[in-house]
Amino acid sequence: MISHDLVRNKLYEEFIKPTNQVKDFIGIEIEIPIINLNKQAVDFNVVHKITSEFQKQYGDFKADGIDYDGNVFALKNPKTDDIVCYDCSYNNIEFAMGKEKELFSINERFCDYYSFVKESFEEYNHTLTGMGINPYRKYNINKPIPSERYLMLYHHLKSFKNYNNIPMYFHKYPEYGMFSSASQVQLDVQKDTLIKTINVFSKIEPIKALLFSNSVLIEEHNHLTCFRDALWEYSTHGVNPHNIGAYDVDFEDINDLQSYLESLNIYCVMRDGAYINFPSMNLLDYFAREYVRGEIYCNGEYRKIDIKPCINDIKYLRPFKFINLTFRGTVEFRSICTQPIKDSMCVAAFHLGLKDNLDELSYIIDNDDVIYHNGYTASELRKLLIHDEVPSFIDKNGLCRLSGDIVDLAAEGLKERGIGEEIFLNPLYERIKKHTNPGKDILQSIQNEISIEKIINEYGKIY
C-alpha cells in the first residue's frame, strides 16, 4: 500500500511542478481521416508506401514507431520535433508539430507536409479531408495499429461489457478512435495562472462547440454537429466522469486541483515494456491495493497477471479532459474537432489569443445573460449547442454577439503579439456572420442533396 501523502506529492511533482518553468511555446496536433474514394476500406499497403515516400522526401524524419508487423507508424524529425504518425489505426494520420513561439512557421510546415501526403494518396485514389468523423468509416477495417499502446487502448475500450452496476450506458462504437479526429493545442502555462486558465477556459466550452463543431456521424445522428463528445463520454473512458469532458467546478487553488487529480481513474500501467490493462479504478483505490489483477497481451492473446502498484505508475494516469494538464507543464485543449484543412490554424489562434486575457474573458462571461447565469453548467450548455438547432430559449443574435466578443478578445491578444497571427481567426468571423460551423454546414449540404464526395473535397482543400 502507498500512502495518500506520497501519492499527493507525486501528483504535484508530475503535474504541477513543471509549470514553474517560464516558457511560452505552442504545440499543435492535427488528426486527419484517410479516405478511399473507391468506397472501400483504406488500403493499408498504400498507407505504408506513402509513409516510405514521405521519409524519402523529408530525409530528416526518422522512424519513431514500428508496429509488430514491421511497419513504421511514426516518423519524427529530431531537428523540429515534428511527428507524422498514424493515430489508433492506419485510417487516421496525425501531424504533431514541434513547439514554436508563433503560428506562421507551424502553419508553413504543416501545409508542406499535408500537401505532399494528400497528393501522394490521390495517386492511389485515396485522399485526406478536414472532418472530425470519417465520412467513409463504414467501409473501413477497424483494426488498431498492432503496437503496445494502441492494442492496449482498444482492449480497454472493448471491455465495456465487463462493467456492471454502474450508472451509465455505453455506445456501440468502441473503435471510435479509428474514425474520429481532433485538433489539439498545447500552450505553456505558469503556476500562478494555472488555476485561472483552467477555470476560465472551462466556461467557454459552449462557445467553442458553437464555433468549431465538425463531427457529424452521418446517417446515424444527423442532429448533432459534434458527436465526438458522446464517443468519449459514453465509452470506458467515461466510467469515471471526472476523466472526460469539462470541469464543472471552480478551483480555488492548487490544492483543489490536486484533489481533482486524486479523483481520477487509472486503467493501465506498464511493466517491462508491456502494457497491462485492468478495470478502470480510482487512483487512490489503486494505490491502496496490495495487488491489482490485469491483462497483458502476449503472443497474440491476453492472459491474466497480478501487479503490485508502485508510485511511478502515476505517469500512466491519462485522463481525456477537454483541458488536460500534462507532464510537460502545458495545458492541452482537446475538445475541438479537426477543422476544414484551410482553417486548421484557427484553433490554436483562438486559444493563444485568449491565454493572456483571462481577466477580460472572465468579465465577458460574468456579465453575460444570453447563455450564462440561466441555470445551466458549461457542460450542459455545450450539450445544447452541439445540436443542429439552437434551443429556442437562447437569443441567436445575442449568442452571435457573445461569440463575436470572445473572438474579438482573441484577436486583440494576437495583435498585442505584433506578428499578424490574428489573420487565422478570419474563418471564425465568417462562421459567426453566417450563424454556422463546419458541422452545421455538413448537415445543411446533405439536406440540400450535395454529395458527400463534394464535401470531402471541399473540406480537404488547403487553400
Side-chain angles (χ1 to χ4, degrees):
M1 295 177 60
I2 297 171
S3 72
H4 183 183
D5 286 345
L6 187 56
V7 173
R8 194 172 185 85
N9 290 339
K10 188 65 173 176
L11 285 169
Y12 183 91
E13 182 181 315
E14 295 290 341
F15 287 99
I16 311 299
K17 188 176 179 181
T19 63
N20 287 329
Q21 305 171 54
V22 179
K23 304 170 293 178
D24 197 20
F25 288 104
I26 309 154
I28 296 174
E29 299 171 20
I30 302 173
E31 302 162 2
I32 298 171
I34 303 169
I35 291 169
N36 185 339
L37 293 170
N38 297 319
K39 294 189 177 180
Q40 297 172 349
V42 169
D43 187 334
F44 294 167
N45 289 325
V46 167
V47 171
H48 301 320
K49 284 178 186 176
I50 288 168
T51 305
S52 179
E53 290 170 13
F54 184 92
Q55 192 170 12
K56 290 175 184 175
Q57 176 73 14
Y58 301 93
D60 289 332
F61 278 81
K62 309 300 179 186
D64 196 50
I66 299 175
D67 71 22
Y68 293 154
D69 297 328
N71 297 307
V72 174
F73 67 86
L75 294 166
K76 183 175 182 178
N77 183 336
K79 295 180 180 178
T80 61
D81 283 339
D82 292 344
I83 297 173
V84 176
C85 59
Y86 298 94
D87 183 63
C88 290
S89 80
Y90 289 113
N91 298 312
N92 295 330
I93 191 167
E94 177 179 325
F95 299 89
M97 310 305 295
K99 63 185 181 183
E100 292 285 355
K101 290 281 190 178
E102 44 78 29
L103 293 177
F104 287 105
S105 57
I106 294 177
N107 185 55
E108 182 179 359
R109 297 202 308 274
F110 166 71
C111 290
D112 184 22
Y113 303 153
Y114 175 85
S115 296
F116 177 84
V117 173
K118 186 171 186 286
E119 289 169 13
S120 299
F121 268 114
E122 287 173 349
E123 292 179 13
Y124 300 92
N125 209 32
H126 286 54
T127 194
L128 307 179
T129 193
M131 299 171 76
I133 289 182
N134 191 321
Y136 278 10
R137 72 190 186 283
K138 64 183 179 182
Y139 305 117
N140 283 340
I141 298 168
N142 289 313
K143 288 170 52 179
I145 293 170
S147 69
E148 274 297 319
R149 171 162 170 72
Y150 291 121
L151 287 170
M152 173 279 296
L153 189 57
Y154 189 42
H155 190 61
H156 171 60
L157 290 168
K158 286 194 303 179
S159 70
F160 67 92
K161 295 177 183 177
N162 299 332
Y163 290 87
N164 298 310
N165 302 317
I166 59 173
M168 70 174 290
Y169 74 89
F170 294 99
H171 59 61
K172 60 181 181 180
Y173 315 100
E175 74 285 0
Y176 71 87
M178 304 175 207
F179 64 73
S180 66
S181 303
S183 180
Q184 298 163 359
V185 180
Q186 290 198 25
L187 299 177
D188 284 317
V189 64
Q190 276 71 61
K191 184 179 176 182
D192 59 350
T193 60
L194 174 58
I195 297 302
K196 182 175 286 187
T197 298
I198 294 174
N199 284 345
V200 177
F201 269 105
S202 293
K203 291 183 174 67
I204 62 166
E205 287 298 339
I207 299 300
K208 287 163 68 173
L210 195 72
L211 293 172
F212 297 102
S213 286
N214 188 30
S215 293
V216 177
L217 198 69
I218 296 169
E219 298 177 358
E220 294 190 50
H221 293 275
N222 281 356
H223 63 294
L224 294 177
T225 59
C226 186
F227 194 69
R228 279 185 65 253
D229 286 8
L231 291 173
W232 288 92
E233 182 173 354
Y234 301 111
S235 73
T236 51
H237 287 314
V239 167
N240 178 352
H242 275 201
N243 275 52
I244 48 89
Y247 300 93
D248 275 331
V249 295
D250 264 345
F251 297 123
E252 291 290 331
D253 51 28
I254 293 293
N255 284 331
D256 262 9
L257 177 57
Q258 282 190 256
S259 294
Y260 197 94
L261 293 174
E262 291 169 6
S263 77
L264 299 174
N265 276 23
I266 188 170
Y267 62 87
C268 71
V269 295
M270 288 191 94
R271 295 290 185 270
D272 299 321
Y275 271 107
I276 296 161
N277 288 87
F278 44 82
S280 180
M281 66 179 71
N282 172 257
L283 190 67
L284 296 181
D285 289 345
Y286 172 77
F287 285 115
R289 297 192 179 195
E290 195 70 30
Y291 290 95
V292 171
R293 171 149 284 202
E295 293 180 300
I296 188 169
Y297 184 77
C298 185
N299 296 324
E301 61 182 17
Y302 285 89
R303 61 179 177 84
K304 300 291 184 182
I305 183 173
D306 289 330
I307 56 169
K308 185 177 179 66
C310 69
I311 192 61
N312 287 330
D313 289 340
I314 278 179
K315 65 184 176 182
Y316 302 108
L317 175 63
R318 290 196 176 106
F320 295 96
K321 303 291 294 179
F322 286 162
I323 304 173
N324 262 354
L325 187 59
T326 76
F327 299 136
R328 294 179 290 274
T330 64
V331 285
E332 180 182 54
F333 300 96
R334 47 176 300 113
S335 65
I336 292 182
C337 318
T338 292
Q339 299 296 288
I341 299 301
K342 61 183 174 59
D343 301 339
S344 291
M345 291 300 121
C346 71
V347 180
F350 178 82
H351 291 90
L352 182 62
L354 293 174
K355 186 187 77 162
D356 294 325
N357 288 294
L358 297 175
D359 288 336
E360 294 85 348
L361 182 55
S362 184
Y363 179 84
I364 291 173
I365 296 166
D366 289 344
N367 289 277
D368 171 72
D369 59 8
V370 176
I371 60 171
Y372 299 108
H373 311 107
N374 286 307
Y376 292 90
T377 66
S379 290
E380 291 167 342
L381 289 168
R382 182 177 171 97
K383 287 182 177 181
L384 292 173
L385 293 177
I386 61 172
H387 284 73
D388 55 348
E389 291 291 338
V390 173
S392 58
F393 73 88
I394 296 177
D395 176 59
K396 292 181 181 179
N397 291 325
L399 189 57
C400 285
R401 285 195 300 273
L402 173 62
S403 301
D405 288 345
I406 291 174
V407 176
D408 282 345
L409 182 61
E412 289 174 20
L414 294 173
K415 287 173 184 175
E416 288 172 9
R417 290 166 55 84
I419 307 172
E421 295 158 313
E422 61 273 12
I423 193 174
F424 293 118
L425 295 175
N426 287 346
L428 303 186
Y429 284 112
E430 195 65 22
R431 294 172 192 180
I432 292 169
K433 179 181 176 182
K434 295 180 179 178
H435 293 212
T436 192
N437 57 46
K440 286 185 179 181
D441 287 345
I442 291 172
L443 293 174
Q444 187 63 55
S445 295
I446 292 171
Q447 188 174 332
N448 292 340
E449 299 184 346
I450 294 173
S451 72
I452 192 64
E453 290 73 29
K454 187 171 183 180
I455 300 170
I456 288 169
N457 179 60
E458 188 64 32
Y459 278 49
K461 291 179 179 176
I462 200 162
Y463 299 114

